[in-house]
Amino acid sequence: MDNKDYSAGLGELRAVRDELKPLERELTQLQAKVAKLRDRRAEKIRELGRYAKATSDRIATAAGLGVIDIVALVPSLAPQAAPGAPAAPSVTGTATVDQQAVQEPAEPIKEMAAPPKPDEPQTVEPSGTVARLGAAPLDGTSRLEVLAETEQADVAPAPAAAGVGEGERVLPSIPAGAEGDAWFRAEPDLASKRPNFKQDARGMAFLDTATGVLVWQGGTVRLDLGRASVAEILTAVYAQAPATIERIYITAGDPWHKGAERHEFLKDAVAAWLNAGPPEGWTVEASRGKDRQAGHLVHPRNPVGRWQRGDQHTEIRSIGEWFDPEGADPATVRAAFVELWKALRPHFDDVVLMGSPSQTGRDLWSRTIPTKPGAKWADGFPVMSQEIRGLLHATAGQGRTELIAPPRVPERVPGWYEVDRTFAYAKHTWASGVGVPRRVTAATFAAMTQKEQTNALFAPSHWQVRVTIPKDWNHVGLLPAPAPGERAWHYPYEGGRSFTTWAGGAEINLALRNPIAPWRIEILDGLLWESGDPLKSWSTKLRDAWQSLRATAEIHGDEKQKQACRLASRAVRAILLYGIGTFAQRPRITTGSLELGAGGEVPDLPDGARLTGISDTHVTWERNQGFARDQYAHPEWAAGVWSAARAALLSVNTSSKDPQTGKPMKAGALHLPAGSILAFRTDAIYTAAPVDWEYGGEPGDYLLKGRMAWEQPAPRTDADFYVLQELGRQAYESEGM
């Protein structure tokens, strides 16, 4: 470039500036107008929500929002107002979200929910009697002291300071009387039954978009992918691989994140990549089979794109759904899938690896449903009413994710230790609730004998409770409570604080019998199931496959095969973890995209849809379609496992024995010093105190995964946390070299 070119370039830059400035002013004005209209819409929604016969689905359609958005603004409409049937079929390009419990941190979202107004109710509690559970003995016995058997219903609700904090969600309650009792039923003609068909196996290929290396059963090639757009990937792959390849797993490169800096959220970048357009002759998949879903899944890190060309169908998926490949090349990743199938085959005769671990997990479980005539549940496991499923969706959280930052912990801590419960969920699948639950009101619970109360709390159950923390409490919180955000939870820990929440029996027992000081629990309402073992056979088979893969990885002489077996063992964990998540059956979220008008106008969205992103050519939207009539919907099972796993993070028996007493050794956050816990992540504890828990190799045992035995700054943000996590693992790995 010479001086003449430079001067000309400056002139072009000024022209762009002059063209851009008025557009930016218009955009600012438009954004201000949109903000005012959104405020008006929210106010109107709250006004309509006060009408006695208001329903969230009708308001959602009129507002152009999803049901979840309406419930966030008017909590009293959840969950009984959940839509009763799917909305009209969506246009081509929609996607049904895989029923998978995503355990990674959520992307940042813009909160729409506002704190309740002063004249609106701050708590939702049922009328009737209240059964209070007091101090349970710390020796592990089952005695429960009922401090006050009954209390009149006209007691004033707890003030906001003791119940719901500013901006927190208000959890729904079961309606009093006959209206609530009507929830306790099974859905007619809907039960989980063993399938009478075998899934079709799909051809797989594994592609590293950073290097261009493609591996499938027929060979290995290196492709020129250009910028790795959808069109370039499909064109390059099918110029080499046969049309029988129906799944392309991206092992590295994350092509959907290219250009992410131009978008506010990763999800917007992913949507833009998926909607950039396939090569000529290809369209977004619109058909649906026994194990095929139409359209794209827009996920910030593990998206799924689905396309078709005539009768040819293909998916582009992220290997991150199954495991972190940790730099493994595509050939090693393919070997991991081979080892995974070989490990599962002895336990599941008709195993087929499906697109995701959640789909695979649910399919494998369905093939363990009893069919022997006369066997209990041989006619299938009944699916609960939509109202109960909606209640569990709104009140049963997943794994505990919490960062405990200064001033709760010192600015600098003496060390960093990471311990993780390996294959933990398998530990909590031996007993689950089956059939239609029994309602246990406060009055019913108060009328029980102490033994009946104990049995109820140890049985599969889910309770609405008012909790009071001991005044001198100085450790982490024990029970989840609703926090701002659609599905956010936090763990109150302040001594003397009271709050109302829902929690599983495992957590209630932990709060009453923890090794430090019992919490005060008042039973407000509850669901109590018959105890069964619908998940036991399935999880036992997965545990055996997991253990065999781990053992092979330890002794194999070939380093690539060792790595393949390690990755395969993590895939088995994902099958269990996400398979359990599929039982939760969240409301179906469909997404889609529409082209902008010729002048850039935003087109009308389908009824009930909300705008989620906009690019130069398309808008993307999503719509909540409520709870489908899914024969495998069992949120009671997922809720029970999640509750037990959260309790085990705090205190649990290990497979090691105390040499003095012969009893199981205890482990968990409550067995570490107060003020030493830095974070929780699903099955892992991060602490500043040295951990010496013996690892026995059994599901649920704590394994040391990271260690830095020197002073560290306490993490203040998630970014700080992930840096320390990586450094801790690297330091611990280097110790063993």
Side-chain angles (χ1 to χ4, degrees):
M1 177 182 293
D2 56 21
N3 189 57
K4 182 179 179 181
D5 292 334
Y6 179 69
S7 298
L10 290 175
E12 292 176 8
L13 186 59
R14 295 186 192 99
V16 172
R17 176 200 65 193
D18 295 340
E19 186 178 354
L20 183 61
K21 276 189 174 181
L23 294 176
E24 288 178 332
R25 284 195 295 270
E26 291 179 19
L27 178 60
T28 300
Q29 294 170 357
L30 182 60
Q31 287 174 332
K33 186 177 180 180
V34 168
K36 289 181 180 179
L37 288 173
R38 283 177 174 165
D39 290 342
R40 282 177 54 191
R41 180 177 64 184
E43 183 60 35
K44 194 65 180 177
I45 288 170
R46 293 192 189 96
E47 178 185 332
L48 293 171
R50 297 188 188 103
Y51 177 52
K53 297 183 179 179
T55 60
S56 57
D57 54 337
R58 293 194 64 186
I59 296 177
T61 300
L65 296 174
V67 172
I68 290 176
D69 302 309
I70 304 304
V71 171
L73 291 167
V74 190
S76 61
L77 295 181
Q80 57 267 34
S90 50
V91 299
T92 300
T94 65
T96 302
V97 174
D98 289 9
Q99 298 299 320
Q100 177 169 319
V102 180
Q103 296 294 324
E104 62 187 64
E107 286 298 292
I109 61 172
K110 296 179 179 178
E111 291 296 344
M112 297 180 62
K117 293 184 177 181
D119 59 344
E120 292 179 344
Q122 297 289 298
T123 58
V124 178
E125 294 180 0
S127 59
T129 56
V130 177
R132 291 181 174 170
L133 302 182
L138 302 182
D139 59 3
T141 61
S142 60
R143 182 177 63 86
L144 292 176
E145 180 185 359
V146 179
L147 298 182
E149 288 193 355
T150 60
E151 200 170 89
Q152 292 301 315
D154 57 1
V155 173
V164 179
E166 183 174 335
E168 292 183 358
R169 291 174 295 121
V170 178
L171 298 180
S173 299
I174 305 172
E179 182 184 357
D181 293 341
W183 288 18
F184 291 78
R185 68 183 192 282
E187 286 286 353
D189 303 318
L190 191 64
S192 303
K193 297 183 179 181
R194 190 166 186 157
N196 57 7
F197 65 92
K198 182 178 179 179
Q199 299 286 359
D200 293 330
R202 312 289 182 186
M204 304 180 193
F206 302 87
L207 175 64
D208 182 335
T209 60
T211 64
V213 174
L214 175 73
V215 177
W216 76 101
Q217 188 176 16
T220 301
V221 296
R222 187 180 295 272
L223 306 176
D224 181 3
L225 298 176
R227 291 185 53 80
S229 66
V230 170
E232 289 168 317
I233 290 175
L234 293 179
T235 299
V237 167
Y238 288 107
Q240 299 288 337
T244 52
I245 296 297
E246 296 191 47
R247 293 192 186 114
I248 303 169
Y249 284 104
I250 305 300
T251 64
D254 294 345
W256 38 79
H257 288 163
K258 290 184 178 178
E261 67 279 357
R262 299 194 300 270
H263 301 272
E264 186 175 3
F265 301 115
L266 279 179
K267 197 170 183 179
D268 296 336
V270 172
W273 184 83
L274 289 170
N275 292 314
E280 185 177 354
W282 289 85
T283 60
V284 175
E285 186 177 63
S287 63
R288 187 184 297 266
K290 285 187 174 69
D291 70 340
R292 180 181 292 130
Q293 295 178 308
H296 304 320
L297 167 62
V298 182
H299 185 277
R301 290 184 176 82
N302 299 317
V304 181
R306 302 181 177 98
W307 296 271
Q308 66 183 81
R309 180 173 59 180
D311 293 333
Q312 180 184 357
H313 299 266
T314 193
E315 296 179 330
I316 295 180
R317 311 186 73 113
S318 168
I319 202 65
E321 292 182 272
W322 290 87
F323 46 71
D324 178 357
E326 296 183 344
D329 57 50
T332 303
V333 174
R334 181 181 179 275
F337 273 74
V338 173
E339 294 297 330
L340 173 62
W341 185 87
K342 288 164 58 178
L344 293 173
R345 183 68 174 81
H347 308 290
F348 301 95
D349 292 340
D350 42 7
V351 58
V352 171
L353 299 181
M354 301 176 69
S356 69
S358 58
Q359 293 170 325
T360 305
R362 186 165 74 170
D363 183 67
L364 293 179
W365 172 78
S366 70
R367 298 172 193 280
T368 66
I369 298 174
T371 57
K372 185 178 180 180
K376 195 167 188 179
W377 312 113
D379 294 331
F381 295 101
V383 173
M384 294 180 301
S385 70
Q386 179 177 279
E387 292 85 356
I388 292 294
R389 284 181 283 144
L391 178 73
L392 287 168
H393 170 69
T395 62
Q398 299 183 22
R400 181 169 182 168
T401 298
E402 183 181 18
L403 180 65
I404 302 175
R408 287 183 62 186
V409 296
E411 293 284 349
R412 298 190 67 82
V413 293
W416 172 271
Y417 302 86
E418 175 188 1
V419 283
D420 180 76
R421 297 184 68 225
T422 59
F423 210 57
Y425 280 12
K427 180 89 170 179
H428 308 298
T429 54
W430 294 90
S432 302
V434 288
V436 176
R438 166 192 170 197
R439 183 177 188 179
V440 180
T441 64
T444 303
F445 191 87
M448 290 179 174
T449 65
Q450 288 188 357
K451 182 178 180 180
E452 289 171 334
Q453 290 178 348
T454 300
N455 291 341
L457 291 174
F458 275 100
S461 53
H462 191 62
W463 303 94
Q464 186 182 32
V465 292
R466 186 186 295 117
V467 183
T468 302
I469 304 174
K471 290 184 178 180
D472 57 352
W473 185 261
N474 67 346
H475 219 294
V476 297
L478 304 186
L479 295 174
E486 180 185 313
R487 294 281 293 162
W489 300 87
H490 66 160
Y491 296 82
Y493 62 92
E494 303 90 342
R497 177 175 176 178
S498 294
F499 60 95
T500 299
T501 191
W502 285 83
E507 291 169 286
I508 300 299
N509 274 305
L510 187 280
L512 288 166
R513 298 178 175 82
N514 72 81
I516 298 175
W519 285 26
R520 183 179 183 183
I521 305 294
E522 302 171 54
I523 299 293
L524 305 178
D525 215 335
L527 296 84
L528 179 63
W529 285 270
E530 176 185 344
S531 183
D533 58 358
L535 305 179
K536 183 178 179 180
S537 174
W538 172 69
S539 67
T540 299
K541 293 172 186 288
L542 292 176
R543 180 203 64 193
D544 292 345
W546 173 75
Q547 289 178 326
S548 70
L549 285 165
R550 285 169 58 88
T552 303
E554 288 293 325
I555 63 175
H556 209 293
D558 183 274
E559 284 301 319
K560 284 190 175 295
Q561 282 301 116
K562 285 173 73 78
Q563 186 178 19
C565 289
R566 285 198 301 270
L567 295 178
S569 72
R570 293 170 192 166
V572 176
R573 175 186 178 274
I575 289 172
L576 179 79
L577 183 74
Y578 297 131
I580 288 170
T582 64
F583 294 124
Q585 199 229 7
R586 289 141 185 87
R588 295 186 306 156
I589 306 296
T590 59
T591 66
S593 66
L594 294 169
E595 289 188 16
L596 295 175
E601 303 90 357
V602 175
D604 291 335
L605 302 181
D607 288 346
R610 68 171 180 175
L611 186 69
T612 57
I614 185 168
S615 69
D616 294 338
T617 58
H618 287 75
V619 296
T620 56
W621 53 265
E622 69 179 24
R623 176 171 58 189
N624 183 321
Q625 290 192 301
F627 295 95
R629 278 182 58 83
D630 182 356
Q631 65 172 321
Y632 299 128
H634 291 286
E636 67 275 21
W637 299 347
V641 171
W642 293 335
S643 174
R646 290 193 300 268
L649 272 182
L650 302 170
S651 182
V652 69
N653 289 335
T654 70
S655 60
S656 301
K657 303 290 186 180
D658 186 324
Q660 302 297 324
T661 65
K663 295 182 179 180
M665 298 284 286
K666 294 280 188 178
L670 296 182
H671 301 279
L672 293 169
S676 69
I677 307 301
L678 303 175
F680 294 100
R681 286 294 187 275
T682 307
D683 299 324
I685 300 172
Y686 299 82
T687 176
V691 181
D692 59 359
W693 302 327
E694 183 180 348
Y695 178 65
E698 292 297 316
D701 279 355
Y702 279 97
L703 173 67
L704 184 64
K705 294 183 67 175
R707 175 167 59 195
M708 291 186 288
W710 53 88
E711 189 176 272
Q712 303 289 333
R716 286 185 167 276
T717 65
D718 283 343
D720 296 340
F721 165 82
Y722 287 116
V723 168
L724 286 170
Q725 182 192 60
E726 182 64 24
L727 291 175
R729 291 177 179 180
Q730 291 175 0
Y732 184 58
E733 185 177 353
S734 67
E735 291 180 17
M737 291 182 177

